[in-house]
Amino acid sequence: MAEPKLAVWRKSRSSSERKRSRALVQPVAASSPVARKRPSSDGEGPPAEAPCSNNSEEDMFGDYDNFYGNDSLIAHVADIEHKYLQDKNIHVKAAGEIVLGNLQSGVHQKEQDNFSASQNVVVLKEGACQMCDSDPADGNQELAESILDDLPSSQLLCFEKMDGLPSASRTSPISKGRDEHVNSFSDKIIDPLSFYAGAEHKNRPTDSSSHSTCVLFKSESLKDHLKSAMTGNARAQTLQVSKTKQLKEAVLSEEIFVARKAIESSSLDIGPFYGLPSKVKDLFRQLRGIETLYEWQHDCLMLESLQQRKNLIYSLPTGGGKTLVAEIIILQELLCRQKDVLMILPYVAIVQEKVRGLSSFGIELGFLVEEYAGSKGRFPPIKRRVKKSLYIATIEKGHALVNSLIETERIDDLGLVVVDELHMLGAGSRGAVLEITLAKILYTSKKTQIVGMSATLNNVGDLQKFLQAEYYTNNFRPVELKEYIKIQDTIYAVDSKTQNGFTFSHLLNFKYSSNLEKADPDHIIALVTEVIPKYSCLIFCPTKKNCENVVSMVSKYLKKEFRAHKEKEKQDLIKNLKSIGNGTLCPVLKQTIPFGIAYHHSGLTNDERKSIEEAYSAGVLCLLACTATLAAGVNLPARRVILRAPYVGNDFLKKNQYKQMTGRAGRAGIDSAGDSILIVQEKDKHLVQDLVHSPLENCYSNLLLELTKGIQSLLLSLVGLKIAVTHEEVDNFMGCTLLGVQQQLLSKEKSFSEIIKDGLENLIEKGLLKGRISEKDHNSKSTLTITPLGKATYKGSIDLAYCNILYRELKKGLEGLVLESNLHLLYLSTPYDMTSTCSPDWIIYLRQFNQLSAAEQKVADIVGVPESFITKMASGQAIRKNVDNAVVNRFYLTFVLYTLLKETNIWSVSGKFNLSRGYVQNLLNSAASFASCLLHFCEELEEFWVYKALLIELTKQLTYCVKTELIPLMEVAGVLEARAKQLYNAGYKTLAHLANANPETLVRMIEHLSRRQAKQIISSAKMLLSEKAEALQEEVEELLKVPMDIPGTH
């Protein structure tokens, strides 16, 4: 039998829940609130609520007018009151007994039939209550109390009016579910006598209640009070809130609470879905089509190390489902532990894709998703009082975010950091930045958990030691992968167990004419026609030009039948690409798309790449020729993957790259198997044999190799953030880096400590640090401090190789900043690291220079590019005067940006400057990011205050590079220029328009938009709107906050 207290718990439920529970008679499991799932048609989620409309006054009170037995409550009250008023001799003390006695008598006979209890949860049957107390007196009292409890809030208002019953005493946990965390079931138990007028204690006898006596002597009858209050409350329906929605939110709140408690106690019984509310499982099914997890995913999530919040590295082949595990761990942190989360991804495109994908979860589960990529992101992030944030960031933005949290002493707010593609630690300067970020988190916060994942890891021991992490690995692939090598017309199966690495499989069965043999000596057409158009195929090529040549050749020799496959959709794609290029379409794509073929590389604009990816995912395109970046950058699997040659550019293929590319073969849930074919020339046969037998490449620290972006940048920020301010402290920190773990691999010429000392001295020489380091004992106790320039450099994430040049140019700009146009400001915002890739066309350079106004030509003189120099270079004359080539190249790139901001058309600008449109797109993205860094740099130096307002506007222009009216739409993750134009022309002109759009209407009005894309756009818009509203609310609350240190208050 349930404890008496639990029988009372039912009383605290809201009227909406009470009403629903009458229709639900089956017993419910009693283990936890999580287990109390309401049945529905599909066995999941709550039952549908029948539409209800009570317009007539007669039906206004629904089934509440006869909530017990067959007699009307109001009629009973009227009879009792009438009988009482006739008998003047009835003592005041007995009044309460008469009321209660009559009310009880109508129910007492049915009490055995009308109630059922299942273990510790009470479920209503047909409208009354079951007594759980064996004491008759107590039972009598509770029965009376339960009758009043069954009154809806509109009827209880009557008693509140007459007795001053506080509203708070009636508020159920259901209605509070969204605003407060429930601590235990006992917290929900409301004193049953609180529903009595003037009740103060549950054991207080009702016949001694003098206040309830007063009720009966009111001049207005109790019946009138009830009717008046019920009518008024029934009509006053201002909030259109679905009861179904309220119930769902209440259950979600309760489940989150139980999950949080389970996780905090490290219990193995962690709730319905890995410590998360059942709604999360429903969302994965609705939004992703995921019904169940793979066995390895379950094992990984149940690891004891995860339960104990230890750091974790896990590694599986590409396509094994690593991301889903990370997302579940992220949701546990956000919902159950109520901590912020940082997710670090390698590329901007993947960040935007992930923001779109997780915004729907954020909207449904009540957390914020914030994008940190390119020029987007606040430093430090807004400190939220209620909702928690998921920061999705690129490597560089993730580092800046961590710096800002350490500086504001909020790093412990970050409960979890998830790193995708952990092997990027070994990838040049970006690897160095990632290592710095993780080392700072490990050193400054003992509460932040780190989870890293990768498909290609080898020296895991070093990474485990660096991250102080456990390791989990599995060779699971949802689809079998068969690897082959093709030499001439023979196909060999890859078999690392054999001596030469592969065994004979079969000969190609495809008849080639002599002309076709010359055009396609590698038999690519034979290989692709085995799978397309029914299935998809990727061809990885060494260079961008090779991608275009391959698709041109294949389309030229394919049969005409290939044009008939999804012909209308292909024409729509061509039309869409034309609109993106303002009427211009790449001639190669114009030729190949009718056959369902296209290329994909960095030479395309963002809009073009996105359209091609969507068309490939939808099956409109069946063959893509792409560069290696696609393997790591975008999730586009295929039935067959062909590697055109074992090279990436001019470099021979690495094992990691080979695994990344071949891992794209086989689509989970679509294909039963996938295959990869590496085309090899006879001369490369021995190299490929080595490739097959070789292990994955080791991951080594890049802190020393990338000097200015690596160790020097780290040392500067350590002192700036006060993480380490003496040589000894710096040494201790450096021992915790991956470089420190791998220091035995350093040359023997200098010790690790000497390398650190040299780095600190170099920073002092550059004027970025102040202090002195003794030659003899390193003076390890001497404190180092950062200079204003040093602080501006690390806070702006400026490469130390350029910080002094940048400072000088900004200082020079103060003497005569030309503001007639934005040319001068654009020059200062042009990224330094792109000048080495620029080779100016001098004729174009001179033509663009001559189109400048006199004031703009003055800018060229100020920065150091004289007209005479450009003229002589264009005419091929000898140059005697020394001119800095880096400045000349940078100013040429400034011309490109200047033209682009005026015309906002990448196609026309790339034609004017004879550059690929992909290069122009990359320049624009880099300039937007650098302008954002420049803004943070100037904010730290008071002398550059004038630049702040100018750079805010310029950063926005470079980020979007569209007409002003499209900017609000392009703030939404994944909405690029072409889509923004479509939305704007269809009448969706603001963020609010998008956030409140109907997906079906959006699909109908916007061409080439799938239902899934429409839902993602709407979710992203809702998330952005919510984020902005929350930010304003936080600002308001901060302004209204009463200071704790007001003079004279203590």
Side-chain angles (χ1 to χ4, degrees), residues 668-702:
I670 300 172
D671 299 326
S672 56
D675 58 53
S676 68
I677 301 171
L678 172 58
I679 299 172
V680 182
Q681 306 304 319
E682 196 68 46
K683 65 181 178 67
D684 293 324
K685 187 176 178 180
H686 67 286
L687 292 173
V688 173
Q689 286 174 337
D690 293 340
L691 177 72
V692 169
H693 281 291
S694 68
L696 293 164
E697 285 79 18
N698 286 336
C699 187
Y700 295 116
S701 172
N702 279 275

Side-chain angles (χ1 to χ4, degrees), residues 150-161:
D150 265 344
L151 290 173
S153 56
S154 60
Q155 294 180 25
L156 283 168
L157 184 63
C158 166
F159 294 102
E160 182 185 337
K161 262 187 183 180

Side-chain angles (χ1 to χ4, degrees), residues 716 766-770 785-793 941:
L716 179 66
K766 285 183 176 178
L768 302 174
L769 290 181
K770 285 191 292 188
T785 55
I786 195 163
T787 64
L789 177 60
K791 188 175 183 182
T793 301
L941 295 167

Side-chain angles (χ1 to χ4, degrees), residues 814-826:
L814 288 179
E815 296 169 11
L817 188 64
V818 178
L819 294 175
E820 184 182 276
S821 72
N822 57 10
L823 182 67
H824 197 169
L825 203 61
L826 267 176

Side-chain angles (χ1 to χ4, degrees), residues 243-263:
K243 291 179 182 177
T244 307
K245 187 177 179 183
Q246 286 179 333
L247 279 169
K248 284 181 180 178
E249 287 168 347
V251 171
L252 176 62
S253 176
E254 289 175 3
E255 289 184 346
I256 288 174
F257 161 73
V258 171
R260 191 182 305 143
K261 282 292 180 191
I263 284 179

Side-chain angles (χ1 to χ4, degrees), residues 67-110:
F67 76 104
Y68 73 99
N70 298 316
D71 299 322
S72 163
L73 165 69
I74 293 175
H76 265 264
V77 170
D79 289 344
I80 294 162
E81 186 179 28
H82 180 69
K83 184 179 178 184
Y84 168 77
L85 291 172
Q86 282 182 339
D87 189 356
K88 298 292 184 183
N89 298 321
I90 293 177
H91 193 273
V92 170
K93 194 174 178 182
E97 292 175 6
I98 293 172
V99 176
L100 291 174
N102 279 278
L103 286 174
Q104 288 166 358
S105 64
V107 184
H108 190 69
Q109 295 174 0
K110 295 185 180 181

